[in-house]
Amino acid sequence: MATPLLDQPDDWTEPGAHPVVEHVYRVPLTLPVDGLAAVNVYVIEDPGGLILIDAGWARPETEKTLVEALQGLGHGLGDIDQVIVTHAHWDHYTQALALRDSLGTRVRVGREERHTIEDFDLDGGVWPRQVDLLRECGAPELAARVDALPVEPQDRNMPFGPPDAWLSDGERIILADRRLDVRATPGHTRGHVVVGDPCAGLLFSGDHVLPHITPSLGFERSPEKFPLRSYLASLRLVRDLPDALLLPAHGPVTRSVHTRVDELIAHHEERLDEVLRQVVSGAETAYAVARALPWTRRQRRLDDLPPVHQMTAVLEIDAHLDVLDQQGAVVWQRADGVRRFAPVR
């Protein structure tokens, strides 16, 4: 049974250091992007120094909010011993690197994030691999729009690079007063990890398990070949762990990891059925399927979404088609560089 949840504000984005259990606090940090209001950073008080789970998007506002939250606990940035990062997206990783640059704070991230970190080069465009994949999905015009997306000047100055050390699946981080267990959970990114505190009944889930939204798949510089297959396997891995409080990167803390994992697995099973029905009805490409389905909780059409959101939607359908192929429900062939699918009769 998970540890009782301490009081949390009704608005999960409310600034401050909100206690989850004794010596563990949730600090929401605002984000400069559409669609995500904030990212949760978790502060663990330990006699050896503070441990952060994720760190936010590197910018002055992030550091100011973090400083104020730590001051409310009687701490400062210099008290942070290390940052454990669930994955290398900018809203989790870049402020950790900024803290390392200014204070020498140790930074660790999952080993398989090395693909994206080592391949990162904005001179090649914002989403170069995704542009190629969109063409294979039968979406050349969308690929061209994504390929034309400009690199913002501030993005070129964002701290990015390797951590001080890589985190490995099954690794145990022994602190003075607790133990943290690292589990590799690829899917959202190749190197995503979740961090469990089994004695306190906590799971720091990063973007792997979110309470209100379904994480994007393979949303990274160098995605793996079958992100949905990996994501579903990672969900089942987490479901096999003892239930715990869900401490997500976006959204409120909730009482049961298992409940939300079951909902996410059911969502993808329903999506697989919907995708298969579209293929049976004659949709041959991931782009055609994506245009036939509603998106977001507002049930919007694909063409009404911004280009990057269209990109993630089409590539999510492509990932579902790969799983259907692996299940023997569809077959595909490549014609003129486009993958075309058909149902298995």
Side-chain angles (χ1 to χ4, degrees):
M1 184 65 67
T3 304
L5 175 63
L6 296 181
D7 287 340
Q8 296 280 310
D10 292 335
D11 179 1
W12 71 271
T13 67
E14 181 179 315
H18 306 292
V20 179
V21 298
E22 190 174 9
H23 300 301
V24 177
Y25 302 86
R26 183 182 62 83
V27 178
L29 303 172
T30 58
L31 294 173
V33 294
D34 293 332
L36 285 177
V39 61
N40 288 321
V41 168
Y42 293 92
V43 179
I44 301 173
E45 292 179 317
D46 188 77
L50 302 180
I51 293 86
L52 298 190
I53 308 294
D54 291 329
W57 190 301
R59 59 192 190 125
E61 297 91 330
T62 298
E63 184 167 317
K64 180 177 182 292
T65 304
L66 184 57
V67 166
E68 291 172 351
L70 293 179
Q71 286 175 342
L73 301 174
H75 303 296
L77 291 179
D79 296 323
I80 302 171
D81 177 64
Q82 62 175 307
V83 185
I84 298 170
V85 183
T86 59
H87 60 296
H89 281 165
W90 286 14
D91 55 326
H92 299 253
Y93 189 49
T94 54
Q95 184 62 40
L97 297 180
L99 291 173
R100 182 180 67 182
D101 291 345
S102 61
L103 299 170
T105 308
R106 290 186 298 156
V107 177
R108 307 181 71 189
V109 70
R111 185 175 302 278
E112 289 303 299
E113 293 296 80
R114 70 184 190 276
H115 302 283
T116 283
I117 291 172
E118 292 172 357
D119 289 349
F120 191 76
D121 180 6
L122 288 176
D123 290 339
V126 182
W127 299 105
R129 176 57 182 145
Q130 284 75 7
V131 169
D132 293 339
L133 292 173
L134 286 172
R135 295 190 181 107
E136 293 181 6
C137 291
E141 293 181 358
L142 177 58
R145 291 200 300 274
V146 172
D147 194 29
L149 290 173
V151 177
E152 300 296 336
Q154 64 269 22
D155 292 347
R156 292 192 178 276
N157 298 321
M158 189 68 64
F160 205 75
D164 297 288
W166 301 106
L167 294 166
S168 299
D169 181 41
E171 183 174 343
R172 286 186 169 177
I173 300 172
I174 305 301
L175 306 176
D177 289 343
R178 68 184 67 231
R179 182 190 91 207
L180 301 177
D181 293 341
V182 177
R183 300 304 302 266
T185 51
H188 179 59
T189 67
R190 294 171 78 165
H192 193 290
V193 299
V194 298
V195 181
D197 182 340
C199 294
L202 309 176
L203 185 76
F204 303 93
S205 66
D207 283 5
H208 179 56
V209 182
L210 298 173
H212 293 156
I213 58 177
T214 304
S216 59
L217 300 171
F219 189 49
E220 57 191 316
R221 187 75 175 186
S222 181
E224 64 172 296
K225 187 172 179 60
F226 300 118
L228 178 58
R229 181 175 69 179
S230 293
Y231 182 64
L232 293 174
S234 297
L235 285 177
R236 295 185 182 104
L237 180 151
V238 169
R239 185 60 172 80
D240 288 340
L241 298 174
D243 203 3
L245 291 182
L246 173 62
L247 278 61
H250 308 285
V253 175
T254 58
R255 293 189 177 277
S256 173
V257 172
H258 286 180
T259 296
R260 184 54 179 158
V261 167
D262 289 344
E263 292 172 351
L264 288 167
I265 291 173
H267 163 78
H268 282 289
E269 289 175 347
E270 293 170 4
R271 205 61 161 170
L272 286 166
D273 290 342
E274 291 171 344
V275 171
L276 180 57
R277 283 196 292 271
Q278 293 300 325
V279 175
V280 170
S281 297
E284 293 185 324
T285 66
Y287 181 61
V289 173
R291 294 194 73 200
L293 295 177
W295 292 95
T296 78
R297 286 176 289 180
R298 299 178 181 178
Q299 302 290 290
R300 299 175 67 185
R301 293 173 50 83
L302 181 76
D303 293 345
D304 295 332
L305 301 177
V308 171
H309 292 181
Q310 290 187 45
M311 174 188 82
T312 59
V314 172
L315 296 183
E316 179 182 313
I317 295 301
D318 193 49
H320 282 79
L321 286 165
D322 277 327
V323 169
L324 289 171
D325 175 48
Q326 291 152 10
Q327 293 175 347
V330 301
V331 294
W332 65 274
Q333 61 181 358
R334 193 182 302 275
D336 298 325
V338 176
R339 296 206 306 162
R340 299 188 179 277
F341 291 82
V344 173
R345 303 294 184 180

